[in-house]
Amino acid sequence: MRRETLFNFTLAGGLLGLAIVAWFVDEPFVITLLTKVFIFAIAGTGLNLALGNGGLVSLGHAAFFGIGGYAMAILASHAQSFEPMVIGPLTFDGTKSMPVIWLVAILASAFAALLIGLLSLRTSGVYFIMITLAFAQMIYYFAISWPAYGGEDGISIYVRNNFPGLNTLDPIQFFGLIALLLVIVLWLSSTLVRSRFGVALDATRQNAQRVTSVGLSPFTIRLIAFVISGAITGLAGALYADLNRFVSPSMLSWQVSGEIMVFVILGGVARLFGPLAGAALFIGMEHYLGGISEFWQFWLGLLLLIVVLWGRGGLLGVVAGERRHG
Amino acid sequence: MTLALFLEQLLNGLQFGVMLFLMAAGLTLVFGVMGLINLAHGSLYMVGAFACAAVATATGSFWLGLIASLVAAAIAGVVVEMTVLRRLYARNHLDQVLATFALILVFSEGTRWLFGSFPLYLTIPPILSGSISLPGDVEYPAYRLAIILVGLAVAAGLFWLISATRLGVRIRAGESDREMIGALGVDIGKLYTLVFALGAALAGLAGALVGAIQSVQVGMGEPVLILAFVVIVIGGIGSIKGALIGAVLVGLTDTLGRTLLPSLFGLFLEPASASSTGSALASMSIYVLMAAVLFFRPGGLFGELSR
């Protein structure tokens, strides 16, 4: 068995085992922490597709994360106040059903990614980093000054949304649901990377000119990857909003984009389990250091620096060596 | 809106733009010469503001504080460059973003550790505390006018430095071909440290100058950092001229947008929704400006498309 596969199994098994142990000894806080790790792993898996496989360094994925969150909050807030939404001549009832909310979150963030991608993918390099940041900031300021849905204060949802057959307020059941979603997203991502499209995407990152010369359009390939990436991150946003039962513009802030990016780089860029490893390490450290020192971010910063300077390729790079190609 | 008010807002926009230029100049030099994306530039701005506040409180002199801000930011810059950033020049942008993101955490928490979480305040020196009458019936605070003049003087100094001195020749040479000037016997390592210290000192100066208008607190650097990035992207990365024009454009768009857009929407919307729509669009306006510039000129106004 390859060391990377072994590490992936150990990591996923370890986290799941930890959740089960926490359930037995009745530590709901640990389960909630693990749920957060898994949700950010989904968001990171989305970003990884653009950033790792596509080489598209987006510093604007908070936009999709936040749009997913707002999709959930808008639908659920209409449902909890029993006021239908009016969009032009049409009216919609809100909903508290998770599958519907997920679908709306995915579609909304995919649509946003399509628009942002169409404009941003004309640029490359640092300019791409900055233009994606600019679009995310636009949406951030729009959310702050949009009084209909809470403005700066955000929206609270009193009860977590429903999933058929589950009691989502029970931490372990909600965790199980998220874990299942993470498995589906990871499977989807690995299938996609290994498909013909994934090969084309990899080739586009390495040499766009050659891709053009065999008759493919790098722009279209990148755009599709960016849209899928945004959609997955949007789904994670809806889940995160449901975990906290709260949405505010801070979900759209550039720090969130930075954090999701840190998860990916910390775990290992373009590695399937990189985002999960990164999110687990970061959130774990955040929690652990927060317990010992009031100034835990100082130590976290130093730790991150050490990882970048001496641990190239992130956690997975250290554990399993260089990424294998092909 | 009266003409006097409009002129005042114009000056406010210019003052904001000039302050952004002080930040953006360092960023664009560091990116142009070393190819480094430095997210921690905002931390140097904060270091400058805190150094100025601490020294001004201890000695009672704002001017000593200003000198301290330059020195402290430059020293912080040199230390960071020699210990961390030097190892990142050859890395990709991702590693640079992550490492400098980590530096932000270290700087912010380190400052909180030293100075606590409460904001500090700087008082404007007495000579500059009044206001000055300008033509067009405008009363304008002397301190803000001084910031504009300092900024323009720094801009002029930088243009002279880049275009007419030996150091400027080396910086420009470093931008276009760093292996070649290394081969010609210029000590690249020393040049990089010097450029970084220069950029850091300018950021520290900006922090100290603005610290006297706003409060000095942890985390004050990051909003300005994002705006400074917008500026250098609009102007074209690596170009000092682009940074100046971009900074003034962003400063004016932001300030005038905030005052003009709400009254513009007031013409055809009811007052409450006009002011909320107007201010929403105003805070989005600079990002719209940036997206528009990149759409038509993907390399910025004065940049080359490479890199």
Side-chain angles (χ1 to χ4, degrees):
Chain A
M1 197 188 273
R2 279 170 50 202
R3 277 170 72 184
E4 183 171 346
T5 322
L6 188 67
F7 175 82
N8 292 350
F9 272 112
T10 321
L11 176 72
L15 291 174
L16 285 175
L18 187 60
I20 292 168
V21 170
W23 178 43
F24 270 113
V25 301
D26 196 26
E27 285 276 0
F29 176 73
V30 176
I31 300 179
T32 306
L33 207 63
L34 285 166
T35 313
K36 191 175 158 190
V37 169
F38 276 39
I39 291 174
F40 273 115
I42 296 176
T45 306
L47 177 64
N48 207 2
L49 214 55
L51 185 144
N53 303 100
L56 306 169
V57 184
S58 158
L59 195 50
H61 261 53
F64 313 126
F65 195 66
I67 285 173
Y70 269 91
M72 171 274 180
I74 290 172
L75 288 173
S77 72
H78 280 287
Q80 77 184 7
S81 64
F82 299 104
E83 273 175 32
M85 248 183 295
V86 182
I87 305 171
L90 302 169
T91 53
F92 298 94
D93 285 324
T95 175
K96 296 281 283 177
S97 158
M98 282 191 187
V100 179
I101 288 173
W102 295 344
L103 189 67
V104 174
I106 289 174
L107 289 178
S109 46
F111 182 66
L114 180 68
L115 290 184
I116 294 178
L118 270 175
L119 295 169
S120 315
L121 285 168
R122 289 168 47 90
T123 63
S124 61
V126 193
Y127 292 97
F128 182 79
I129 302 182
M130 291 302 147
I131 197 168
T132 46
L133 172 69
F135 280 114
Q137 291 290 101
M138 270 185 228
I139 298 174
Y140 171 69
Y141 284 115
F142 179 75
I144 280 190
S145 42
W146 191 27
Y149 291 106
E152 212 163 343
D153 302 328
I155 316 173
S156 286
I157 303 299
Y158 306 122
V159 182
R160 192 169 283 156
N161 298 310
N162 319 311
F163 191 85
L166 287 181
N167 172 17
T168 50
L169 280 172
D170 181 11
I172 192 76
Q173 294 195 26
F174 186 59
F175 172 79
L177 188 62
I178 304 284
L180 187 67
L181 278 177
L182 176 64
V183 170
I184 294 172
V185 165
L186 285 177
W187 172 79
L188 215 117
S189 163
S190 95
T191 312
L192 195 72
V193 168
R194 274 185 273 159
S195 67
R196 283 162 52 90
F197 172 77
V199 174
L201 182 65
D202 208 34
T204 310
R205 175 176 52 88
Q206 292 176 27
N207 194 329
Q209 223 165 1
R210 287 194 181 169
V211 172
T212 317
S213 72
V214 296
L216 296 170
S217 154
F219 183 83
T220 317
I221 293 171
R222 286 185 178 133
L223 187 62
I224 294 171
F226 194 70
V227 168
I228 298 174
S229 162
I232 296 177
T233 306
L235 170 67
L239 299 174
Y240 190 64
D242 229 338
L243 174 69
N244 298 326
R245 282 166 271 160
F246 175 66
V247 170
S248 76
S250 66
M251 264 181 91
L252 291 156
S253 70
W254 76 279
Q255 281 92 342
V256 171
S257 300
E259 253 176 45
I260 301 177
M261 196 188 260
V262 167
F263 296 149
V264 174
I265 308 174
L266 197 58
V269 173
R271 317 288 278 247
L272 186 60
F273 277 65
L276 180 61
L281 183 67
F282 189 95
I283 294 172
M285 284 317 260
E286 186 179 84
H287 176 66
Y288 176 70
L289 290 174
I292 4 181
S293 165
E294 194 189 334
F295 303 100
W296 57 272
Q297 287 198 339
F298 183 83
W299 304 108
L300 187 67
L302 284 186
L303 191 85
L304 275 180
L305 265 185
I306 291 169
V307 171
V308 193
L309 291 180
W310 289 286
R312 299 184 68 169
L315 195 58
L316 270 156
V318 172
V319 176
E322 286 274 300
R323 189 163 68 104
R324 296 208 323 196
H325 294 280
Chain B
M1 179 179 295
T2 63
L3 182 67
L5 189 61
F6 179 73
L7 283 177
E8 194 181 328
Q9 293 302 331
L10 208 62
L11 283 173
N12 278 342
L14 191 62
Q15 180 255 311
F16 187 42
V18 151
M19 194 274 304
L20 283 178
F21 169 72
L22 290 181
M23 279 290 282
L27 265 187
T28 205
L29 272 182
V30 166
F31 192 86
V33 180
M34 288 96 118
L36 175 82
I37 300 185
N38 180 19
L39 293 184
H41 205 66
S43 300
L44 299 166
Y45 171 89
M46 179 186 70
V47 166
F50 270 93
C52 182
V55 170
T57 317
T59 63
S61 161
F62 179 77
W63 308 110
L64 284 180
L66 267 191
I67 295 170
S69 75
L70 284 169
V71 174
I75 290 176
V78 169
V79 169
V80 165
E81 201 273 342
M82 290 174 76
T83 52
V84 178
L85 299 180
R86 184 168 281 193
R87 302 164 199 274
L88 295 169
Y89 296 145
R91 304 278 192 92
N92 57 23
H93 291 326
L94 268 185
D95 281 354
Q96 298 174 350
V97 166
L98 183 59
T100 51
F101 183 81
L103 279 177
I104 293 182
L105 293 180
V106 171
F107 268 108
S108 297
E109 287 294 294
T111 314
R112 203 194 305 276
W113 209 336
L114 286 175
F115 291 91
S117 305
F118 294 103
L120 305 179
Y121 294 94
L122 263 172
T123 36
I124 295 170
I127 322 175
L128 295 174
S129 59
S131 58
I132 289 179
S133 311
L134 294 175
D137 211 16
V138 182
E139 287 283 317
Y140 200 70
Y143 184 73
R144 284 176 184 263
L145 207 60
I147 293 187
I148 296 178
L149 294 179
V150 168
L152 293 179
V154 169
L158 269 182
F159 280 119
W160 172 77
L161 181 83
I162 301 282
S163 61
T165 64
R166 192 154 197 87
L167 177 64
V169 171
R170 286 182 177 168
I171 291 176
R172 278 181 288 144
E175 269 180 329
S176 47
D177 194 333
R178 71 185 79 155
E179 280 84 17
M180 184 53 93
I181 71 158
L184 290 173
V186 174
D187 184 345
I188 288 270
K190 212 184 273 174
L191 178 70
Y192 283 2
T193 312
L194 203 65
V195 169
F196 199 84
L198 179 68
L202 291 180
L205 178 67
L209 289 175
V210 172
I213 306 181
Q214 299 161 358
S215 60
V216 176
Q217 56 187 332
V218 173
M220 65 190 282
E222 278 64 55
V224 185
L225 171 82
I226 299 277
L227 291 179
F229 268 118
V230 171
V231 165
I232 67 172
V233 166
I234 287 178
I237 292 170
S239 158
I240 293 279
K241 184 167 77 175
L244 181 61
I245 290 172
V248 173
L249 259 179
V250 167
L252 289 178
T253 308
D254 186 71
T255 311
L256 293 183
R258 265 171 224 287
T259 46
L260 292 183
L261 282 179
S263 36
L264 190 71
F265 279 95
L267 296 179
F268 50 89
L269 288 176
E270 53 190 298
S273 62
S275 79
S276 68
T277 322
S279 58
L281 280 178
S283 38
M284 289 163 70
S285 61
I286 53 169
Y287 299 102
V288 176
L289 173 74
M290 167 171 162
V293 167
L294 284 189
F295 187 77
F296 291 108
R297 293 189 63 106
L301 292 176
F302 295 94
E304 311 136 49
L305 228 181
S306 59
R307 273 196 265 274

